[in-house]
């Protein structure tokens, strides 16, 4: 409750500024999570894909840009050593610039089934 319009306006400005700071802090936390995320040895491709996608969606929902190629490359770096052969193959013969995360997941799942 404020006595004047000016006081109410100032209170609204302060609350909005606080919301912007929270949003920036949350985006920074999600970016940090994105940088360090790794697939666990016991984790399936689908489960890891969901974890990574949740982080990326969170970043994008806060208005931050994250390119598809960045996510694709992160996915390929984050998988365990048992996927090294297929990752090498994807990197050598795939067009990473135009590849989607869904394509990577599909290729890795195929490899996972063979293992």
């Amino acid at each position: 409750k404020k006595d004047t319009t000016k006081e109410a306006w100032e209170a609204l400005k302060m609350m909005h500024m606080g919301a912007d700071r929270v949003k920036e802090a949350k985006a920074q936390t999600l970016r940090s999570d994105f940088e360090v995320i790794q697939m666990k040895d016991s984790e399936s491709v689908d489960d890891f894909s969901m974890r990574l996608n949740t982080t990326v969606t969170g970043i994008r929902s806060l208005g931050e840009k994250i390119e598809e190629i960045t996510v694709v490359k992160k996915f390929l770096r984050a998988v365990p050593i048992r996927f090294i052969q297929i990752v090498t193959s994807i990197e050598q013969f795939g067009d990473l610039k135009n590849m989607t995360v869904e394509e990577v997941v599909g290729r890795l799942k195929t490899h996972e089934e063979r293992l």
Side-chain angles (χ1 to χ4, degrees), residues 29 92 111:
T29 299
Q92 287 179 348
H111 184 74

Side-chain angles (χ1 to χ4, degrees), residues 39-99:
M39 184 175 170
K40 299 170 186 146
D41 285 331
S42 60
E43 193 170 28
S44 73
V45 171
D46 279 335
D47 290 344
F48 177 67
S49 174
M50 290 299 293
R51 272 196 318 127
L52 183 63
N53 189 47
T54 299
T55 302
V56 169
T57 300
I59 292 168
R60 288 177 175 159
S61 73
L62 293 170
E64 298 283 317
K65 285 197 175 234
I66 187 163
E67 302 293 328
E68 188 76 3
I69 189 167
T70 303
V71 181
V72 166
K73 287 181 176 180
K74 176 58 183 178
F75 204 116
L76 294 174
R77 284 192 316 272
V79 296
I81 195 75
R82 71 179 189 264
F83 290 100
I84 195 70
Q85 289 176 329
I86 190 67
V87 166
T88 302
S89 211
I90 292 169
E91 290 173 341
Q92 287 179 348
F93 302 113
D95 181 9
L96 293 183
K97 290 180 184 175
N98 295 311
M99 191 172 288

